[in-house]
Amino acid sequence: LLPGLQRHRVASGEQVFDWTVPPEWNIRAGHLRTEDGTTVVDFCNNNLHVLGYSEPVDCWVTLDELQGHLHSLPEQPDWIPYVTSYYRKNWGFCMTHRQRATLKPGRYRAFIDSTLQPGFLDYADLVLQGRESSEVLFSTYVCHPSMANNELSGPAVVAALAQHVANLSSRRYTYRFVFIPETIGSIVYLSRSLTHLKERLAAGFVVTCAGDDRAYSYVPSRLGSTLADRVARHALRHHAPDYVAYSFLERGSDERQYCSPGVDLPVCSVMRTKYGVYPEYHTSADNLELVTASGLCGAFEVYRKIITLLENNYGYRVTVQCEPQLGKRGLYPNTSTKSSGELVKDLMNVIAYADGRDLVELADTVGLSGIDVINIIQPLLQNRLLEVI
Amino acid sequence: LLPGLQRHRVASGEQVFDWTVPPEWNIRAGHLRTEDGTTVVDFCNNNLHVLGYSEPVDCWVTLDELQGHLHSLPEQPDWIPYVTSYYRKNWGFCMTHRQRATLKPGRYRAFIDSTLQPGFLDYADLVLQGRESSEVLFSTYVCHPSMANNELSGPAVVAALAQHVANLSSRRYTYRFVFIPETIGSIVYLSRSLTHLKERLAAGFVVTCAGDDRAYSYVPSRLGSTLADRVARHALRHHAPDYVAYSFLERGSDERQYCSPGVDLPVCSVMRTKYGVYPEYHTSADNLELVTASGLCGAFEVYRKIITLLENNYGYRVTVQCEPQLGKRGLYPNTSTKSSGELVKDLMNVIAYADGRDLVELADTVGLSGIDVINIIQPLLQNRLLEVI
Amino acid sequence: LLPGLQRHRVASGEQVFDWTVPPEWNIRAGHLRTEDGTTVVDFCNNNLHVLGYSEPVDCWVTLDELQGHLHSLPEQPDWIPYVTSYYRKNWGFCMTHRQRATLKPGRYRAFIDSTLQPGFLDYADLVLQGRESSEVLFSTYVCHPSMANNELSGPAVVAALAQHVANLSSRRYTYRFVFIPETIGSIVYLSRSLTHLKERLAAGFVVTCAGDDRAYSYVPSRLGSTLADRVARHALRHHAPDYVAYSFLERGSDERQYCSPGVDLPVCSVMRTKYGVYPEYHTSADNLELVTASGLCGAFEVYRKIITLLENNYGYRVTVQCEPQLGKRGLYPNTSTKSSGELVKDLMNVIAYADGRDLVELADTVGLSGIDVINIIQPLLQNRLLEVI
């Protein structure tokens, strides 16, 4: 699928910064049945039915005893919630609140055939070399792919971006695509690459919730004005001007680790509707009705523009003093009329601010999209009226 | 009353910066009587009746001659104005405009038994030693205590703050409480302590108009963003969010001296309703109907919070890279549900911005009151997840 | 007219930065006639009738052939447009759209007796020496003076400013008044004086569209906060608070050259209604009905204030610590009443911020016009309470 993708693993028990890699959880089966053998919920039908990271259990319990192990959403009675218990041993079942309300007094058999044993945390990455050793990072998480927007959409969009970047005829930056479990995965990844990334990372993005077709969203880096932030905001302002800009206080994914104090990598997040904000989040309704082709394409498209901007985000400087004479180079209308001044206004504004500032700042200054400025710049570069610095 | 309070005096005629300590004014009696001996006004009834700093006089004048020596308020006809003439020799009487209108033509005896002679300017201060030699200053003025909000409330609140600070089990800062006459007093005080204060003053406050129950007010220092300003604004924003923020252009008390160019001590002023703004200001109506217990307590409470903030206003820095694992320390809920992310949001935000910034900036960044942040920080300090820098 | 005005010329063909001085255009006659000899338009009646820089022509053309050489304004049918073709050889006639609509099919004789030959570009400047070698520049253009606001008003106002400056009893700055053709003229001027101006120019202004009586306008320098910008904005804010502040993106005159990257002289532009914005711009209706005495006087007056501000724009610093005692110098009312505080408020505010900041910043800080602050400062300087730094 992605040539060059490398798989890695770390063993349970390994110390990574303040954390310990947890035991590996595997589950073969899980169901809840009534005394007469009727199945209430079964992991085979929907893997959300078993509380994530449940320890093995096989026991008979009364309904009263069972209630403490059940999870449902009274206000969203038709959806199964997604619940986990990573760091406290527990077991449980999740179901719609409507189903839970039909449970009758009596004895139930809770059966979960799982293991929680020393094993491995698996993750993968793909590095595509560019002309420069400076890197651009796309990080996404693979820990609960049975839900669609959060979080199969992230790996899907990152895989598409990797293919896009692999097909570029020339690459300025080296690109790094990372597929990890959330939180502990990014902590593991940083524990192995922090020095490398501190030295080389130009811009990074946490790609998540990239598939629905409602909003565009942005969570800044902790520092707020890194290259990643500048390019992301510029791309969004021109691609989706009504995007929702959250504060870093509203973060919730791996930018928590990438941007923690002292780590402070230039990593922000561009999303469609943000985790926690849409009602289907972390429920069975986060499915392929919510995630659409146009939703995924929209996220892909913004990131594609971000890549184009980054690849062209050099400083540009005019090579002559005073305005260049564009007419003799065929870049200026020859007859001066009342409106001809307007015709070359954008061109002259780009020249006027080509004082070494980079593409994004130049575009922001002259009020154009960076993509438009790239087109304006080309003939000026060809005529050696601009130089790259 | 205030153990440790030190009294000081400087002699009339002493040069202090651009000023000279004036002669001392004392008054034994003062009244205005009609020809038939009826008392019009008498200093014994209200000391505002005699123009402040009046020279001695004992003479008969016609009503016409008298008018130039009378002061009243046509638009506030029932109040006696407070008028002084410090630097030009003069005498006069102040009365309600309603009374003045009843004066009949005829001869009046003006009698003021006062002295204006070389003497002393008296003031007092109290220093409470802390662990650090850095100081916090509270300055108030004692030159017209016959009015209530301006200005018996200031000395009353400062005395209460001194008792509060004296009772603290431990003090970080050294506290200095200053009781002086306005303007000439602060100039005298600065002439004796400027070098000391320039070296040691961390934050200072001019306490005045601290007793009515209408508004909260703030006058910044000249520089505008000293520690005193930052803490005062933070305290007010959370204690009284609708407080009135004046410009330094609207100053009018001893911050004029503490903040003059080159002096520029970190001194601002937190008040209830500001001098000059409330109608009773500098009249007989600035009395104990205007000043209330809750008014005084409100001012005390803001300053108490300012002291708490200052005492805890260290820089805090997280000790681990990436997020710390709070669960293993009992600081995090163990079951991940849709809402559990919100539960620890404030805690995680404090950690995310604990990059060395001080308490006030940290609280402003995460959108909490500094008092709340102090509570959040305690268990993190105990678990050595934060360090003080 | 202007004693000391120096005329200069450069020869056609000379290289100036990226440009070449063009051939000199002269015209003796030009008219368009019908077959029966009736004059359609004649240069003698209005010099706008001939396309600027037209090459010589004498030929018979059909109406169809002629149309490609005609210029008119369908939406302003009674005005003759001003059109030029500097850098592509061409010829043409300009007329009202109403007249153009009456042209009947048939043959027309196009006759233009012009020359386009090696010659000279003429310009002039006047330098008035001041106490300092630092310079203030006023630049205006003389290339199409047959229109009134754009652009006879500019040379008129600059000539008046030169007379005003010549009559000043004392000058701090050296003043430079420049009369050039637009664009190529400023490029020529900069090619001869860039090093000098980079070293000496304190503030400069492009004076254009200085004669109508509608708006006041401002175009900043490219850098936006040079001394020229600061003084211009301050003067406008107090002289014409509803002035229109344009962005440098809306520039259109010689600030294009004075402010190009690397040149970046402190040059902005204060105008009445800006070129391109008023409907009569570059048409025969830009005449002496549009330009008025009060329009010209308004522009002159703003620039006169700008000169006054510049001449007084020193840093001022108070010479005493704490507030000075104004009373003993006769600068303060002696009787303290409820309102006397207000009377000296402006004076005290000027003193409070006289910490070395310059006049414009000082005036902005205390909320007064710089002209008012100059008046407040005089007695303080005389009493040595302020010093110039």
Side-chain angles (χ1 to χ4, degrees):
Chain A
L1 250 150
L2 285 176
L5 186 73
Q6 302 285 321
R7 295 189 57 174
H8 312 273
R9 45 175 39 187
V10 296
S12 299
E14 182 172 325
Q15 198 67 24
V16 281
F17 294 129
D18 192 47
W19 299 64
T20 308
V21 176
E24 181 174 329
W25 185 59
N26 284 288
I27 179 166
R28 273 178 295 264
H31 54 245
L32 182 68
R33 295 204 179 135
T34 60
E35 209 159 0
D36 62 6
T38 308
T39 294
V40 180
V41 295
D42 191 312
F43 181 78
C44 296
N45 297 326
N46 190 322
N47 62 18
L48 298 182
H49 279 316
V50 173
L51 174 83
Y53 236 62
S54 276
E55 59 186 346
V57 68
D58 186 359
C59 66
W60 288 91
V61 290
T62 65
L63 178 58
D64 269 8
E65 290 164 342
L66 180 63
Q67 290 292 3
H69 291 275
L70 296 185
H71 302 274
S72 65
L73 301 167
E75 304 198 353
Q76 295 161 325
D78 293 314
W79 300 348
I80 309 164
Y82 167 57
V83 187
T84 64
S85 180
Y86 286 132
Y87 293 97
R88 189 172 62 90
K89 284 202 173 177
N90 198 359
W91 60 267
F93 293 94
C94 303
M95 63 184 69
T96 70
H97 198 68
R98 203 171 300 279
Q99 181 179 19
R100 185 178 184 174
T102 67
L103 297 183
K104 294 190 171 61
R107 299 174 69 238
Y108 289 83
R109 186 180 173 202
F111 176 77
I112 298 174
D113 180 12
S114 66
T115 56
L116 258 172
Q117 290 170 342
F120 295 95
L121 182 158
D122 290 279
Y123 64 97
D125 63 7
L126 166 62
V127 176
L128 296 174
Q129 205 64 39
R131 297 190 304 280
E132 301 184 8
S133 62
S134 292
E135 295 192 3
V136 173
L137 167 75
F138 292 94
S139 179
T140 192
Y141 46 98
V142 293
C143 43
H144 43 74
S146 62
M147 285 166 290
N149 200 33
N150 182 276
E151 184 53 19
L152 188 55
S153 70
V157 167
V158 170
L161 289 169
Q163 284 174 323
H164 168 68
V165 169
N167 290 333
L168 289 177
S169 58
S170 166
R171 281 188 292 277
R172 170 190 184 180
Y173 284 112
T174 295
Y175 286 82
R176 179 178 293 267
F177 303 90
V178 174
F179 302 83
I180 45 179
E182 207 178 8
T183 303
I184 186 68
S186 50
I187 293 169
V188 163
Y189 203 84
L190 284 168
S191 76
R192 274 151 172 62
S193 61
L194 183 53
T195 306
H196 177 93
L197 290 175
K198 288 288 273 183
E199 201 175 289
R200 300 205 178 176
L201 193 63
F205 304 89
V206 171
V207 184
T208 170
C209 297
D212 76 309
D213 209 3
R214 296 188 281 213
Y216 283 90
S217 310
Y218 160 71
V219 170
S221 73
R222 196 179 82 89
L223 298 178
S225 56
T226 69
L227 177 59
D229 295 286
R230 294 175 58 233
V231 173
R233 283 197 295 255
H234 183 88
L236 282 165
R237 195 155 54 237
H238 289 279
H239 180 88
D242 54 348
Y243 79 94
V244 183
Y246 291 93
S247 148
F248 187 70
L249 299 179
E250 305 292 328
R251 76 200 173 286
S253 184
D254 283 328
E255 68 278 5
R256 289 162 51 181
Q257 314 309 327
Y258 290 123
C259 299
S260 56
V263 173
D264 277 325
L265 294 170
V267 174
C268 67
S269 187
V270 171
M271 293 161 279
R272 301 304 305 259
T273 311
K274 181 177 161 288
Y275 43 79
V277 168
Y278 60 96
E280 302 88 348
Y281 172 71
H282 273 198
T283 75
S284 56
D286 186 347
N287 56 31
L288 289 174
E289 285 179 44
L290 177 65
V291 165
T292 65
S294 69
L296 290 161
C297 285
F300 174 80
E301 187 58 25
V302 178
Y303 277 117
R304 199 181 63 79
K305 285 179 177 165
I306 284 173
I307 291 168
T308 302
L309 292 169
L310 284 168
E311 290 282 311
N312 289 277
N313 194 51
Y314 295 99
Y316 297 99
R317 189 164 53 195
V318 70
T319 57
V320 299
Q321 287 191 301
C322 292
E323 289 182 347
Q325 193 189 349
L326 298 175
K328 67 184 183 190
R329 299 179 178 90
L331 300 172
Y332 199 93
N334 278 292
T335 304
S336 162
T337 64
K338 201 171 175 180
S339 65
S340 68
E342 293 296 312
L343 292 175
V344 287
K345 189 177 155 187
D346 289 343
L347 173 59
M348 297 311 294
N349 281 342
V350 166
I351 291 170
Y353 281 102
D355 56 2
R357 66 186 70 196
D358 71 11
L359 175 72
V360 170
E361 186 179 355
L362 178 53
D364 284 344
T365 304
V366 300
L368 297 172
S369 84
I371 306 295
D372 288 342
V373 171
I374 291 171
N375 291 328
I376 290 173
I377 280 174
Q378 295 316 314
L380 298 173
L381 287 170
Q382 284 154 19
N383 281 274
R384 303 191 183 213
L385 289 173
L386 288 190
E387 62 185 359
V388 168
I389 61 167
Chain B
L1 250 149
L2 285 177
L5 187 73
Q6 302 285 322
R7 295 190 58 174
H8 312 274
R9 44 176 38 187
V10 297
S12 299
E14 181 172 324
Q15 199 68 24
V16 281
F17 294 129
D18 192 47
W19 298 64
T20 307
V21 175
E24 181 174 329
W25 184 59
N26 284 289
I27 179 165
R28 273 178 297 265
H31 54 248
L32 182 68
R33 295 208 178 129
T34 61
E35 209 161 1
D36 63 6
T38 309
T39 295
V40 180
V41 294
D42 191 310
F43 181 78
C44 295
N45 297 326
N46 190 321
N47 62 19
L48 298 182
H49 278 315
V50 173
L51 175 83
Y53 235 60
S54 277
E55 60 186 347
V57 68
D58 186 358
C59 65
W60 287 93
V61 290
T62 66
L63 179 57
D64 269 5
E65 291 164 338
L66 180 62
Q67 289 291 4
H69 292 274
L70 296 186
H71 302 274
S72 64
L73 300 168
E75 303 199 353
Q76 295 161 325
D78 294 314
W79 300 348
I80 309 162
Y82 167 58
V83 188
T84 64
S85 181
Y86 287 132
Y87 293 98
R88 189 172 65 89
K89 284 202 174 180
N90 199 358
W91 62 266
F93 293 93
C94 303
M95 63 183 69
T96 71
H97 198 68
R98 203 171 298 280
Q99 182 179 18
R100 185 177 183 173
T102 66
L103 295 183
K104 294 192 171 60
R107 299 175 69 239
Y108 289 84
R109 183 175 176 206
F111 175 77
I112 297 175
D113 179 11
S114 67
T115 55
L116 259 172
Q117 289 171 340
F120 295 94
L121 180 158
D122 291 279
Y123 64 98
D125 62 8
L126 165 62
V127 175
L128 297 173
Q129 204 65 39
R131 295 190 304 280
E132 301 184 7
S133 61
S134 292
E135 293 192 3
V136 174
L137 167 75
F138 293 93
S139 178
T140 192
Y141 47 99
V142 293
C143 44
H144 43 72
S146 63
M147 285 165 290
N149 199 33
N150 184 276
E151 183 56 21
L152 188 54
S153 71
V157 167
V158 170
L161 289 169
Q163 284 174 324
H164 167 68
V165 170
N167 291 333
L168 290 177
S169 58
S170 168
R171 282 189 291 274
R172 170 189 183 181
Y173 284 112
T174 294
Y175 287 81
R176 179 177 294 267
F177 303 89
V178 174
F179 302 81
I180 46 180
E182 207 179 7
T183 303
I184 186 68
S186 50
I187 293 168
V188 163
Y189 203 83
L190 284 167
S191 76
R192 273 149 174 63
S193 61
L194 183 53
T195 306
H196 176 95
L197 290 175
K198 287 288 272 183
E199 201 175 288
R200 301 204 178 178
L201 193 62
F205 305 89
V206 172
V207 184
T208 170
C209 296
D212 76 311
D213 209 2
R214 297 188 280 213
Y216 283 91
S217 310
Y218 160 71
V219 170
S221 74
R222 197 180 81 90
L223 298 178
S225 56
T226 68
L227 177 59
D229 294 288
R230 294 174 59 233
V231 172
R233 284 197 295 255
H234 183 89
L236 282 165
R237 195 155 54 238
H238 289 278
H239 180 88
D242 54 348
Y243 78 96
V244 183
Y246 291 92
S247 147
F248 187 70
L249 300 179
E250 305 292 330
R251 75 200 174 284
S253 184
D254 283 327
E255 67 278 6
R256 290 163 52 183
Q257 313 310 325
Y258 290 124
C259 298
S260 57
V263 173
D264 277 325
L265 294 170
V267 174
C268 68
S269 187
V270 171
M271 292 161 279
R272 302 304 306 257
T273 310
K274 181 177 162 286
Y275 41 79
V277 169
Y278 60 96
E280 301 89 347
Y281 172 71
H282 273 199
T283 76
S284 56
D286 185 348
N287 58 29
L288 289 174
E289 284 178 46
L290 176 64
V291 165
T292 65
S294 69
L296 290 161
C297 286
F300 174 81
E301 186 59 23
V302 178
Y303 277 116
R304 199 180 63 79
K305 285 179 176 164
I306 284 173
I307 291 168
T308 302
L309 292 169
L310 285 167
E311 291 281 311
N312 288 277
N313 195 51
Y314 296 98
Y316 297 98
R317 189 162 54 196
V318 69
T319 57
V320 298
Q321 286 190 301
C322 292
E323 289 182 345
Q325 193 189 349
L326 298 175
K328 68 183 182 190
R329 297 179 179 89
L331 299 172
Y332 200 92
N334 277 293
T335 303
S336 162
T337 66
K338 203 171 172 179
S339 64
S340 67
E342 293 296 313
L343 292 175
V344 286
K345 191 177 154 187
D346 288 343
L347 173 60
M348 297 312 294
N349 281 343
V350 165
I351 291 171
Y353 282 101
D355 56 4
R357 69 188 68 198
D358 72 10
L359 175 72
V360 170
E361 186 179 354
L362 179 53
D364 283 345
T365 304
V366 301
L368 297 171
S369 84
I371 306 294
D372 289 342
V373 171
I374 292 170
N375 291 329
I376 289 174
I377 279 174
Q378 294 318 313
L380 298 173
L381 287 170
Q382 284 154 18
N383 282 274
R384 304 192 182 210
L385 289 174
L386 288 190
E387 61 186 0
V388 169
I389 62 168
Chain C
L1 252 147
L2 286 176
L5 186 74
Q6 302 286 322
R7 294 188 59 173
H8 312 273
R9 44 176 38 188
V10 297
S12 299
E14 182 172 324
Q15 199 68 25
V16 281
F17 294 129
D18 191 48
W19 299 64
T20 308
V21 175
E24 181 173 330
W25 184 59
N26 285 289
I27 180 165
R28 274 178 294 266
H31 55 248
L32 182 67
R33 295 210 178 129
T34 61
E35 210 159 359
D36 61 7
T38 310
T39 295
V40 180
V41 295
D42 192 310
F43 181 78
C44 295
N45 297 325
N46 190 321
N47 61 18
L48 298 183
H49 278 316
V50 173
L51 175 82
Y53 235 61
S54 277
E55 58 187 347
V57 70
D58 186 357
C59 66
W60 287 91
V61 290
T62 64
L63 179 57
D64 269 6
E65 291 164 340
L66 180 63
Q67 290 292 2
H69 291 274
L70 296 185
H71 301 274
S72 65
L73 300 168
E75 303 199 353
Q76 295 161 328
D78 294 315
W79 300 348
I80 309 163
Y82 168 56
V83 188
T84 64
S85 180
Y86 286 132
Y87 293 96
R88 189 172 63 90
K89 284 202 172 176
N90 199 358
W91 62 265
F93 293 94
C94 303
M95 62 184 66
T96 70
H97 198 69
R98 204 171 298 281
Q99 181 180 18
R100 185 178 183 175
T102 67
L103 296 183
K104 295 194 171 56
R107 298 175 70 240
Y108 289 84
R109 185 179 175 202
F111 176 78
I112 298 175
D113 179 13
S114 66
T115 55
L116 257 173
Q117 289 171 341
F120 296 94
L121 181 158
D122 291 278
Y123 64 95
D125 62 7
L126 165 63
V127 176
L128 297 174
Q129 204 64 40
R131 296 191 303 280
E132 302 184 7
S133 61
S134 293
E135 294 192 1
V136 173
L137 167 75
F138 293 93
S139 179
T140 193
Y141 47 98
V142 293
C143 43
H144 42 73
S146 64
M147 286 165 289
N149 199 33
N150 182 276
E151 183 54 19
L152 188 55
S153 70
V157 167
V158 170
L161 289 169
Q163 285 174 324
H164 167 67
V165 170
N167 291 333
L168 289 178
S169 58
S170 166
R171 280 188 293 276
R172 170 190 183 181
Y173 284 111
T174 294
Y175 286 81
R176 179 177 293 267
F177 303 89
V178 174
F179 301 82
I180 45 180
E182 206 179 7
T183 303
I184 186 67
S186 49
I187 292 168
V188 164
Y189 202 84
L190 284 168
S191 75
R192 274 150 172 63
S193 61
L194 183 53
T195 307
H196 177 94
L197 291 175
K198 287 289 273 184
E199 201 176 289
R200 299 206 179 176
L201 193 63
F205 305 89
V206 172
V207 184
T208 171
C209 296
D212 76 308
D213 209 4
R214 297 189 281 213
Y216 283 91
S217 310
Y218 160 71
V219 170
S221 73
R222 197 180 81 89
L223 298 179
S225 55
T226 69
L227 177 59
D229 294 286
R230 293 174 59 233
V231 173
R233 284 197 296 255
H234 183 89
L236 283 166
R237 195 156 53 238
H238 289 278
H239 180 89
D242 54 349
Y243 78 96
V244 183
Y246 292 93
S247 149
F248 186 71
L249 299 179
E250 306 292 330
R251 75 200 173 284
S253 184
D254 283 329
E255 67 278 6
R256 289 162 52 183
Q257 313 310 327
Y258 290 123
C259 298
S260 56
V263 174
D264 277 323
L265 294 170
V267 174
C268 67
S269 186
V270 171
M271 292 161 279
R272 302 304 305 257
T273 311
K274 181 178 162 286
Y275 41 80
V277 167
Y278 60 97
E280 301 88 349
Y281 171 71
H282 273 200
T283 76
S284 57
D286 186 348
N287 57 29
L288 289 173
E289 286 179 44
L290 177 64
V291 164
T292 65
S294 69
L296 290 161
C297 286
F300 173 80
E301 187 57 25
V302 178
Y303 278 116
R304 200 180 61 79
K305 284 180 177 165
I306 284 172
I307 291 168
T308 303
L309 292 169
L310 284 167
E311 291 281 312
N312 289 278
N313 195 50
Y314 295 98
Y316 296 98
R317 190 163 53 196
V318 70
T319 57
V320 297
Q321 287 190 301
C322 292
E323 290 182 344
Q325 193 189 350
L326 298 175
K328 69 184 182 189
R329 298 177 179 89
L331 301 172
Y332 199 92
N334 277 293
T335 303
S336 162
T337 65
K338 201 171 175 180
S339 66
S340 68
E342 293 296 313
L343 293 174
V344 286
K345 190 178 154 187
D346 288 343
L347 174 60
M348 297 312 293
N349 281 342
V350 165
I351 291 170
Y353 282 102
D355 55 4
R357 66 188 69 196
D358 71 11
L359 175 72
V360 171
E361 185 179 354
L362 179 53
D364 284 344
T365 304
V366 300
L368 297 171
S369 84
I371 307 294
D372 288 341
V373 171
I374 291 170
N375 291 329
I376 289 174
I377 280 174
Q378 295 316 315
L380 298 173
L381 287 170
Q382 284 154 19
N383 281 276
R384 303 191 183 210
L385 290 174
L386 288 190
E387 62 186 359
V388 169
I389 61 167

